[in-house]
């Protein structure tokens, strides 16, 4: 492997570590975001170059592979259960176990989320913090719900309670993807499914009213990862500088 190959390895390493640093910083920034799931950077080895006997002194029949650095292979989302925090707010909902709430984006696209910090807008519809309508199978149109206190059962059934009288008005629609690994981040703590993936409508979810699911980011682990990534980046930067110095020496000798 020549010096330019070494430079390429250093460059790929620094790019990968920078991506990982950005990911860690994003996790730390969302450590208090309701329903946020921590992200991990996935790395992969780049092309493995076989070294020949002409390049190094190898015994007969011996082969030696030198990789060309590392690359980012994408981002994985850890869909682990977050802790439930009681708020006492009737429109705050948390999921215990599997499943996702559904909300409709401004373009009508169905988005999945674990963030159950909902509210009722001026028309009476249940919406998220961005104003996206929550997916509900309403037996009475939301704009015509009677006045009273919102009550949500663990299976998502919604009723309005007024003076001890309960009126069933619908049910929150909960979704379960075939594989959580196929979910793609759509921003604002929402996810979409890859083309062709099927969504199952859950019949028996476990919803907790008056609670919110906290972020799954572990700040201590994230800070440790950040320090380790910074040190690895610095080592790659020093190696890159040393390689550049070798280039300068070769140029001077060639003159």
């Amino acid at each position: 492997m020549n010096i330019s190959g070494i430079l390429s390895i250093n460059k790929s390493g620094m790019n990968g570590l920078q991506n990982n640093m950005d990911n860690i910083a994003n996790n730390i920034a969302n450590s208090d975001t309701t329903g946020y799931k921590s992200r991990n950077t996935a790395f992969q080895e780049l092309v493995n170059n076989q070294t020949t006997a002409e390049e190094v002194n190898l015994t007969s029949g011996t082969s030696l592979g030198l990789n060309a650095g590392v690359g980012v292979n994408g981002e994985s989302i850890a869909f682990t259960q977050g802790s439930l925090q009681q708020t006492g707010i009737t429109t705050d909902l948390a999921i215990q176990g599997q499943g996702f709430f559904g909300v409709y984006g401004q373009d009508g696209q169905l988005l999945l989320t674990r963030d159950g910090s909902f509210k009722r807008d001026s028309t009476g519809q249940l919406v998220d913090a961005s104003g996206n309508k929550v997916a509900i199978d309403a037996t009475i149109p939301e704009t015509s719900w009677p006045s009273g206190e919102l009550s949500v059962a663990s299976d998502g059934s919604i009723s309005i309670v007024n003076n001890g009288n309960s009126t069933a008005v619908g049910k929150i629609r909960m979704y379960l993807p075939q594989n959580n690994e196929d979910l793609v981040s759509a921003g604002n703590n929402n996810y979409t499914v890859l083309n062709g993936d099927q969504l199952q409508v859950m019949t028996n979810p476990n919803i907790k009213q008056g609670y919110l699911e906290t972020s799954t980011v572990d700040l201590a682990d994230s800070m440790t990862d950040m320090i380790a990534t910074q040190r690895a980046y610095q080592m790659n930067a020093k190696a890159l500088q040393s390689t550049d110095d070798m280039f300068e020496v070769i140029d001077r000798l060639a003159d």
Side-chain angles (χ1 to χ4, degrees):
M1 177 177 290
N2 55 29
I3 294 180
S4 63
I6 298 174
L7 281 172
S8 178
I9 291 176
N10 292 143
K11 180 181 177 182
S12 70
M14 293 178 71
N15 287 338
L17 290 168
Q18 183 61 58
N19 274 293
N20 193 40
M21 182 66 72
D22 293 342
N23 195 39
I24 294 170
N26 185 57
N27 282 339
I28 293 174
N30 285 282
S31 59
D32 289 327
T33 301
T34 301
Y36 179 83
K37 302 302 178 183
S38 62
R39 271 72 162 166
N40 299 305
T41 304
F43 294 98
Q44 67 175 359
E45 183 182 51
L46 298 181
V47 178
N48 197 329
N49 296 319
Q50 290 300 314
T51 303
T52 65
E54 287 75 19
E55 294 178 294
V56 294
N57 186 19
L58 296 175
T59 58
S60 178
T62 303
S63 63
L64 177 64
L66 298 176
N67 72 59
V70 296
V72 176
N73 192 32
E75 177 186 87
S76 62
I77 305 174
F79 286 102
T80 54
Q81 174 73 51
S83 301
L84 301 190
Q85 184 177 41
Q86 188 171 12
T87 66
I89 300 174
T90 57
T91 53
D92 282 346
L93 305 175
I95 303 169
Q96 181 73 56
Q98 294 182 316
F100 293 84
F101 299 111
V103 296
Y104 294 103
Q106 302 303 316
D107 59 355
Q109 181 185 17
L110 176 66
L111 304 171
L112 304 181
T113 184
R114 295 277 297 193
D115 184 353
S117 52
F118 303 135
K119 62 181 179 180
R120 295 186 69 182
D121 65 10
S122 58
T123 66
Q125 296 187 103
L126 195 64
V127 298
D128 66 8
S130 299
N132 298 319
K133 185 180 180 301
V134 179
I136 293 176
D137 292 320
T139 54
I140 297 176
E142 292 179 66
T143 54
S144 300
W145 284 1
S147 59
E149 183 174 316
L150 183 76
S151 176
V152 181
S154 60
D155 67 349
S157 297
I158 307 171
S159 56
I160 302 296
V161 180
N162 190 352
N163 294 326
N165 297 318
S166 178
T167 304
V169 295
K171 185 176 183 180
I172 294 176
R173 194 183 306 158
M174 297 289 296
Y175 296 93
L176 185 66
Q178 289 181 335
N179 191 341
N180 285 345
E181 294 180 359
D182 293 333
L183 294 178
V184 179
S185 177
N188 295 323
N189 222 6
N190 298 321
Y191 308 93
T192 57
V193 293
L194 294 176
N195 292 333
D197 282 2
Q198 299 296 318
L199 281 176
Q200 174 187 346
V201 177
M202 301 178 68
T203 57
N204 192 29
N206 189 3
I207 298 175
K208 298 274 288 183
Q209 184 180 21
Y211 287 80
L212 290 175
E213 182 181 6
T214 61
S215 170
T216 59
V217 174
D218 188 310
L219 271 180
D221 286 347
S222 294
M223 294 302 296
T224 301
D225 291 343
M226 176 173 283
I227 293 171
T229 302
Q230 285 176 331
R231 289 177 177 173
Y233 188 92
Q234 291 169 353
M235 290 177 62
N236 272 271
K238 288 179 180 179
L240 186 62
Q241 182 61 53
S242 297
T243 305
D244 187 58
D245 291 343
M246 289 194 306
F247 261 123
E248 290 184 7
V249 172
I250 293 172
D251 287 340
R252 286 198 301 268
L253 293 175
D255 291 339

